[in-house]
Amino acid sequence: MIEILNPDELARARVTGRLVADILQALKARTKVGTNLLDIDRWAAEMIAAAGARSCYVDYAPSFGRGPFGHYICTGVNDAVLHGLPYDYSLADGDLLKLDFAITKDGMAADSAISFIVGETRPPESVALIRATEQALDAAIAAAVPGARIGDISAAIASVLGAAGYPVNTEFGGHGIGTTMHQDPHVPNAGRAGRGYKLRPGLMLALEPWVMADTAQLVTDADGWTLRSATGCRTAHSEHTVAITDGGAEILTLPSSGPA
Ligand code: MF3
Ligand code: CO
């Protein structure tokens, strides 16, 4: 199903989007060397409750996972890139952490993911991976104008990731979002410009380029959820929820303090 939001729904989606972004930034600020992934999950649950929102994850049981997710945030460390199930692990200096977070508030969902390096060490390869997904996300947002097609977004993402020298995996990508987290249309991270569903004002999309340094192949962890790079290489993921408006894509998941 594809939802086209009315102005009242869009206004509520803006509130949810801002909340998602502010919680992600608060979690990032609290995350230090030695922080346990289960601490981050608990903080996320507390912040959701304090905001009067609901987790899109905790009861979610899609075909690509094993049973309900049972947690409030995805935490992917280093080679873990998507659907990272929080577990008892304390973060080390230089770890590349991905946080992916979605909630519903007043009936509207929003979904966003950030990647950052924990501690003081700045491994250049990790910095480059993160920058590539952020630049691909910027290109995706720039392509998401009314009248453009899903394929224009897909081609923009693949072009940035490919130019940076990374293989592109198309098993998981972006998606429509609205009153629920996962809707049509699917937004593949590679595709042909000019093809696919035509974008129009009121459409809300989660755009989410992700990348693995040296492989396009994923493996599923024994936990039944976490997707890792098949080679053990590092990975990154950047996601925003945007609304198509007459003026272009409005980013809904920017924090109150502005772009991080
Ligand atoms: N937020 C993820 C996405 O970007 C979905 C995570 S589903 C979960 O689409 F169950 F793993 F949490
Ligand atoms: Co998403």
Side-chain angles (χ1 to χ4, degrees), residues 56-57 60 62 64 69 74 83-84 100-102 111 173 175 181-182 208 225 237 239:
C56 295
Y57 291 0
Y60 196 46
F64 57 76
F69 190 67
C74 298
H83 314 155
D100 189 349
F101 182 65
D111 185 3
H175 47 94
M181 170 175 65
H182 279 160
E208 47 181 314
W225 279 100
H237 181 202
E239 177 176 21

Side-chain angles (χ1 to χ4, degrees), residues 27-92:
L27 293 170
K28 178 179 176 180
R30 268 172 94 165
T31 298
K32 312 281 181 208
V33 172
T35 297
N36 195 291
L37 300 180
L38 296 174
D39 294 332
I40 300 175
D41 187 53
R42 193 183 70 253
W43 297 335
E46 290 166 359
M47 292 177 193
I48 293 170
R54 286 175 47 152
S55 171
C56 295
Y57 291 0
V58 68
D59 298 323
Y60 196 46
S63 58
F64 57 76
R66 181 187 296 156
F69 190 67
H71 290 79
Y72 297 86
I73 190 163
C74 298
T75 56
V77 181
N78 299 336
D79 59 321
V81 60
L82 296 176
H83 314 155
L85 192 72
Y87 68 104
D88 180 9
Y89 172 77
S90 294
L91 290 159

Side-chain angles (χ1 to χ4, degrees), residues 7-218:
D8 175 65
E9 290 169 322
L10 179 56
R12 283 184 279 132
R14 285 192 181 101
V15 174
T16 312
R18 168 82 37 116
L19 194 53
V20 163
D22 284 344
I23 290 176
L24 276 175
Q25 288 307 317
L27 293 170
K28 178 179 176 180
R30 268 172 94 165
T31 298
K32 312 281 181 208
V33 172
T35 297
N36 195 291
L37 300 180
L38 296 174
D39 294 332
I40 300 175
D41 187 53
R42 193 183 70 253
W43 297 335
E46 290 166 359
M47 292 177 193
I48 293 170
R54 286 175 47 152
S55 171
C56 295
Y57 291 0
V58 68
D59 298 323
Y60 196 46
S63 58
F64 57 76
R66 181 187 296 156
F69 190 67
H71 290 79
Y72 297 86
I73 190 163
C74 298
T75 56
V77 181
N78 299 336
D79 59 321
V81 60
L82 296 176
H83 314 155
L85 192 72
Y87 68 104
D88 180 9
Y89 172 77
S90 294
L91 290 159
D93 188 45
D95 274 348
L96 198 173
L97 180 65
K98 280 123 278 175
L99 298 179
D100 189 349
F101 182 65
I103 56 177
T104 302
K105 163 106 177 148
D106 285 335
M108 297 306 298
D111 185 3
S112 181
I114 57 173
S115 296
F116 61 93
I117 299 164
V118 177
E120 301 303 321
T121 308
R122 286 264 158 307
E125 181 210 65
S126 299
V127 172
L129 272 176
I130 295 169
R131 189 183 308 119
T133 61
E134 290 175 349
Q135 289 177 341
L137 181 54
D138 288 345
I141 292 166
V145 296
R149 292 180 182 270
I150 294 294
D152 296 310
I153 299 175
S154 303
I157 291 171
S159 144
V160 172
L161 297 181
Y166 300 118
V168 182
N169 172 300
T170 52
E171 289 171 83
F172 295 90
H175 47 94
I177 178 169
T179 55
T180 57
M181 170 175 65
H182 279 160
Q183 300 185 355
D184 291 332
H186 177 57
V187 187
N189 285 343
R192 288 160 70 175
R195 301 296 180 96
Y197 180 81
K198 191 188 267 191
L199 310 181
R200 53 182 168 125
L203 178 69
M204 193 159 114
L205 296 173
L207 306 176
E208 47 181 314
W210 56 277
V211 75
M212 303 185 277
D214 65 12
T215 181
Q217 202 182 330
L218 288 167

